[in-house]
Amino acid sequence: MPRGPRWSRAARVAAAADVSDLRRLAARRAPRMVFDYVDGAAESELSLARSVAAFERVEFAPRVLRDVSDAPTSVEILGRRVSMPVVLGPTGFTRMMHRSGERAVARAAQRAGVPYTLSTMGTTTAAGVAAAAPAGWNWFQLYVVRDRARTLETLAMASEAGMDVLVVTVDVPVAGARLRDVRHGLTVPPTLRWRGVLEAVRHPAWWFDFLTGEPLRFATVDGAPEDLAGLTNLMFDPSVTFADLEWIRSAWQGRLLVKGVQRADDAKELAALGVDGVVVSNHGGRQLDRSATPLELLPAVVAAAGDRTEVFLDGGVRSGADVAAAVALGARACFVGRAYLYGLMAGGEAGVDRVLALLRAELVRTLQLLGAGGVEGLGPDLVRLRDR
């Protein structure tokens, strides 16, 4: 990636060769506490490390002497065709990474022809996302809170904004221990304490955007609390069961995905309840440390879920080759989170565009080198996980 004073930040974003380049740019632009909020995970961060490392164990078995002059990446998910098997996953406090926040991510997803999922903990309303990307396929992610009436109000807002896919996250009965955030004393919005003053000197562009932009606040839940874990434990309901999921199913008219599945038997029970899809996910390692590694668990969940329930993978995806490996192992598509947040921190909307362009180019190249021809040609005969 080019360096030196003659290269503007926009030029460096455009020249990024992979997501790791954008991660480095993000670390330079954003204050440490903001970067670490994205980059970090729970406790010793073993779940995060293992999720990423699982893709390093992937070994491809390419076919040769196949016509790969064309390598289509489009795939059908939940009855609708998208440009590639990628979903931009839900992330909280997105305008903390860049002032353009969720609106920028939704616009980039719309241009790329992939879905975008707005988080309950987002900093833009469902209506705001719909206005920013009216032709995009916008989904909504739900945390079930203690106040069931508020949950119904949230579902109504999402539906009124045209969102027809609901992603219910079920792996946050209580807040995980994200120690980087604890050590930084992270608040939303970030506060300019004495450490913050030093960070402002080192990252003036981010602080200028933050101080001159729209005030940062939660758009679906009220307020901007001092204690993030405290908000989670106050609002989210640790008593949620499969019965509550049936209640949500009855209240929501669109497609329903359940995110946070970490056991094959849970996937089987969810499929029996009639959910449209399950997302194999350990919340990016941000909740229970030492939890299941999504890529390793994927084949068992695919087998348990059966043919009528679509299975998605979330966790550790950093490249188009990762996407190809997950799809070959049975995923319908991959949720991507940190990767696009690195792009957003590094270069705003253009950074998200760059991440999506990289993922597609890497996916096309991998399909061609695998002799798969296209996404539809991916299968378990093309990939295996090497022994640890």
Side-chain angles (χ1 to χ4, degrees), residues 29-43:
R29 180 183 183 274
R32 180 66 181 272
M33 61 182 170
V34 174
F35 177 80
D36 277 356
Y37 173 77
V38 173
D39 198 59
E43 300 181 29

Side-chain angles (χ1 to χ4, degrees), residues 28 184 210 280 329 367:
R28 294 190 195 118
H184 287 306
F210 170 66
V280 183
L329 288 172
L367 291 170

Side-chain angles (χ1 to χ4, degrees), residues 175-342:
R178 300 172 193 171
L179 300 185
R180 293 203 216 182
D181 297 346
V182 172
R183 289 167 182 141
H184 287 306
L186 178 66
T187 62
V188 177
T191 50
L192 201 59
R193 298 169 181 164
W194 69 270
R195 289 183 183 177
V197 172
L198 295 177
E199 287 286 281
V201 172
R202 297 188 186 104
H203 306 280
W206 185 93
W207 279 106
F208 177 81
D209 279 354
F210 170 66
L211 294 171
T212 60
E214 179 185 353
L216 188 63
R217 60 179 297 276
F218 298 107
T220 302
V221 299
D222 294 330
E226 286 288 313
D227 180 5
L228 304 184
L231 173 74
T232 302
N233 292 331
L234 176 67
M235 291 194 59
F236 298 171
D237 190 346
S239 71
V240 173
T241 67
F242 283 91
D244 294 285
L245 195 64
E246 292 184 88
W247 171 73
I248 293 170
R249 172 76 282 179
S250 69
W252 177 257
Q253 301 306 309
R255 300 282 192 166
L256 178 65
L257 302 184
V258 177
K259 180 175 178 286
V261 173
Q262 299 173 65
R263 293 175 58 98
D265 55 354
D266 281 345
K268 185 174 183 178
E269 187 165 357
L270 288 165
L273 285 177
V275 303
D276 298 291
V278 297
V279 186
V280 183
S281 173
N282 62 15
H283 212 99
R286 296 166 69 81
Q287 286 301 114
L288 176 66
D289 204 14
R290 300 181 178 88
S291 55
T293 300
L295 187 67
E296 295 173 354
L297 182 62
L298 176 62
V301 171
V302 171
D307 295 335
R308 298 182 62 184
T309 305
E310 298 184 16
V311 178
F312 299 78
L313 178 103
D314 170 61
V317 177
R318 298 289 190 274
S319 71
D322 294 345
V323 174
V327 173
L329 288 172
R332 185 60 61 95
C334 292
F335 277 57
V336 175
R338 283 185 178 90
Y340 82 73
L341 290 181
Y342 293 142

Side-chain angles (χ1 to χ4, degrees), residues 91-95 98 100-107 116 118-119 121-124 129 132 344:
T91 61
F93 324 129
T94 310
R95 284 199 296 114
H98 190 279
S100 56
E102 290 91 352
R103 292 181 178 90
V105 180
R107 286 191 293 263
Y116 167 63
L118 175 66
S119 171
M121 305 302 288
T123 47
T124 303
V129 166
L344 184 67

Side-chain angles (χ1 to χ4, degrees), residues 33-106:
M33 61 182 170
V34 174
F35 177 80
D36 277 356
Y37 173 77
V38 173
D39 198 59
E43 300 181 29
S44 298
E45 304 191 354
L46 292 173
S47 291
L48 169 59
R50 291 171 182 173
S51 295
V52 175
F55 283 100
E56 296 173 1
R57 294 175 50 222
V58 166
E59 182 173 86
F60 289 121
R63 305 185 187 104
V64 297
L65 298 175
R66 305 298 201 274
D67 181 359
V68 293
S69 53
D70 187 29
T73 61
S74 66
V75 66
E76 186 175 290
I77 58 176
L78 302 176
R80 181 166 168 175
R81 188 151 290 272
V82 297
S83 69
M84 58 180 168
V86 168
V87 177
L88 297 191
T91 61
F93 324 129
T94 310
R95 284 199 296 114
M96 185 169 68
M97 297 31 152
H98 190 279
R99 65 191 296 173
S100 56
E102 290 91 352
R103 292 181 178 90
V105 180

